[in-house]
Amino acid sequence: MVRHPDPAVIGRLRERLARYWLTPLPAPPEKWRRGPWRPGAFPSERRSSGLTSRLGLWLGLAFAICFVTGLLSHLIQHPPGWFWWPSRPVRLYQVTQGLHVASGLAAAPLLVAKLWAVYPRLFAWPPARSVAHAAERGGVALLVAAALFQVVSGILNIAHRYGPMPFFFTTGHYWVGWLVAGALLIHVGVQLPVVRAALRRGAPVSPDRRRLLVGAGAAAGLITLVTVGQTVRPLAPIGVLAPRRPGDGPQGLPVNKTAAAAGVLAVARDPGYRMILAGPLGERRLDLAALAALPQHTAVLPIACVEGWSSTATWSGVRLRDLVALVGADPEGTEVEVESLQAGGRYRVSVVAPPHVRDPFTLIALRLNGAILHVDHGYPARLIAPNRPGVLQTKWVGRLTARVPA
Ligand SMILES: Nc1nc2c(c(=O)[nH]1)N[C@H]1C(S)=C(S)[C@@H](COP(=O)(O)O)O[C@H]1N2
Ligand SMILES: [Mo]
């Protein structure tokens, strides 16, 4: 027999919890009320619900785009078993990752404006009126810290400044992203009635508040304009703050890591180079002449770096599906591990999933924009596949292993 709990007991429990949750906490001694906490410390009350609600709305929108596109990028780079990512449209990742970086950069000035508008609230007295109030303030503190961490670490990453980050960027940025999402959902839930009322009332009141709003919006727009040229080619000339520009680099393409930095200059130029193919029929070794003697194909594809820059180029070489067929793999149901000549490093190996192996645009490229690959772009051979993050477009390919996906 199922025993149902006594409703009276539940009721008492709930009452006790509510009482505990809302119990007024003792205020700290009045003599501690100094500095920013003293009464009237902030004479010009900048905070108005109209202003903070609008800023919050824009910020929430930027963070939502950033979170969804960031999660997608993470899933593509670390695919769990259930995840499937297509090879077409060829520019999809270029768009989603461009949005990720652009929305994150646009969030920076909005976040600063929002913090500037609300920081007097940090010094409200008493600091915590009840357990519920303390929990809510703790949640906001967490949200502020996590949001600042995301924006700052993201900017440091696209600027290649890893010094101030004593952790692996990708892992930290990913987990703190979840923290922001969770804390933001709770914050929006708590503030929804205020936001709704404020937005329904309309106008954000006084002219100086309106100036702040317009200024923050203009700063977000300006930052977007001077950085988005890293991926939107027509805007490249005004991309003065873009860390990379689409046309800058050998063969008209930016370089992420040079051959010298990867320590592959000697092996990449070694005349004894052989590409090793491994599959059900065993191993084969092809020198450059043998690779060039296979049917050559051309594809116009972007390199779309996770850092937000992208650049489109014309690539020619051998189809990956043709290469794995040489060692007996069925291109329809095969995944391929692509290994670089690099001795170590995070991006030495990448795995090409079946949709990309099958795709006739997926090449082991030997040529770029009509000439032999520059060594910084992966000479003697590099992977280029449609709709795939730059980090997975392995350069200086030394070995391909075809296998059945787990
Ligand atoms: N072996 C190897 N391949 C690599 C990398 C690397 O560090 N090592 N960097 C990747 C990254 S992050 C990007 S964005 C692209 C850039 O290619 P490009 O330098 O030819 O523009 O190469 C990818 N291929
Ligand atoms: Mo990259």
Side-chain angles (χ1 to χ4, degrees):
M1 195 186 100
V2 181
R3 289 191 28 193
H4 293 285
D6 182 348
V9 172
I10 298 261
R12 268 203 305 280
L13 201 65
R14 191 182 283 162
E15 226 168 80
R16 206 177 295 165
L17 256 177
R19 214 181 313 132
Y20 164 76
W21 191 239
L22 298 172
T23 304
L25 293 172
E30 200 61 20
K31 64 169 189 275
W32 290 0
R33 198 171 175 187
R34 300 240 185 94
W37 281 278
R38 72 182 188 279
F42 299 97
S44 96
E45 175 69 283
R46 277 188 299 268
R47 184 175 68 86
S48 83
S49 52
L51 171 69
T52 53
S53 296
R54 269 173 187 74
L55 275 174
L57 205 66
W58 295 352
L59 201 51
L61 187 69
F63 273 159
I65 294 174
C66 216
F67 178 71
V68 172
T69 51
L71 187 60
L72 184 65
S73 183
H74 181 86
L75 288 171
I76 297 168
Q77 288 173 67
H78 312 274
W82 54 266
F83 185 74
W84 177 86
W85 180 245
S87 63
R88 305 290 176 99
V90 301
R91 291 181 185 279
L92 187 57
Y93 184 78
Q94 186 184 24
V95 172
T96 64
Q97 194 60 11
L99 272 176
H100 178 70
V101 173
S103 57
L105 286 171
L110 299 177
L111 185 60
V112 169
K114 172 101 177 169
L115 291 178
W116 190 77
V118 300
Y119 86 89
R121 283 184 87 182
L122 277 179
F123 307 105
W125 195 266
R129 291 192 301 270
S130 62
V131 178
H133 184 226
E136 199 247 326
R137 297 201 61 182
V140 172
L142 186 71
L143 174 58
V144 169
L148 280 172
F149 175 89
Q150 287 304 77
V151 169
V152 171
S153 63
I155 291 173
L156 289 174
N157 182 61
I158 61 179
H160 290 207
R161 297 278 189 285
Y162 299 102
M165 293 193 280
F167 51 88
F168 178 44
F169 165 78
T170 311
T171 312
H173 200 66
Y174 173 69
W175 287 110
V176 178
W178 280 108
L179 213 58
V180 174
L184 189 58
L185 268 183
I186 294 174
H187 181 63
V188 169
V190 170
Q191 297 294 335
L192 205 58
V194 180
V195 173
R196 265 205 173 125
L199 296 182
R200 209 179 299 125
R201 273 202 312 274
V205 289
S206 70
D208 63 317
R209 282 170 193 156
R210 183 169 279 280
R211 264 200 298 280
L212 177 67
L213 205 55
V214 171
L222 190 68
I223 286 184
T224 306
L225 265 182
V226 296
T227 51
V228 80
Q230 65 178 329
T231 183
V232 179
R233 203 153 192 156
L235 293 179
I238 57 165
V240 289
L241 284 187
R244 306 288 166 106
R245 292 201 236 166
D248 292 359
Q251 296 179 298
L253 189 74
V255 167
N256 190 278
K257 188 176 220 134
T258 62
V264 296
L265 264 180
V267 276
R269 289 182 172 149
D270 180 358
Y273 170 81
R274 301 285 183 276
M275 185 180 290
I276 303 169
L277 312 181
L281 295 182
E283 275 190 18
R284 278 186 70 170
R285 284 157 191 267
L286 302 181
D287 63 12
L288 271 176
L291 283 167
L294 291 168
Q296 303 291 302
H297 297 272
T298 296
V300 176
L301 294 173
I303 293 266
C305 182
V306 291
E307 292 157 19
W309 63 267
S310 74
S311 187
T312 300
T314 304
W315 309 89
S316 309
V318 186
R319 283 181 177 154
L320 185 61
R321 49 178 302 150
D322 293 352
L323 285 169
V324 298
L326 287 180
V327 282
D330 172 9
E332 295 306 314
T334 297
E335 70 176 22
V336 179
E337 188 178 273
V338 181
E339 263 175 85
S340 170
L341 298 168
Q342 233 176 306
R346 272 179 204 284
Y347 308 121
R348 200 183 72 80
V349 180
S350 73
V351 175
V352 185
H356 291 78
V357 175
R358 277 196 285 278
D359 197 303
F361 282 178
T362 300
L363 303 177
I364 292 298
L366 308 174
R367 303 177 71 84
L368 160 59
N369 290 335
I372 299 281
L373 269 180
H374 188 282
V375 72
D376 288 339
H377 286 307
Y379 176 86
R382 72 100 46 90
L383 174 73
I384 183 78
N387 196 25
R388 197 170 150 86
V391 283
L392 302 182
Q393 310 280 30
T394 310
K395 304 197 275 194
W396 315 294
V397 171
R399 183 187 170 97
L400 301 175
T401 308
R403 59 187 187 208
V404 177

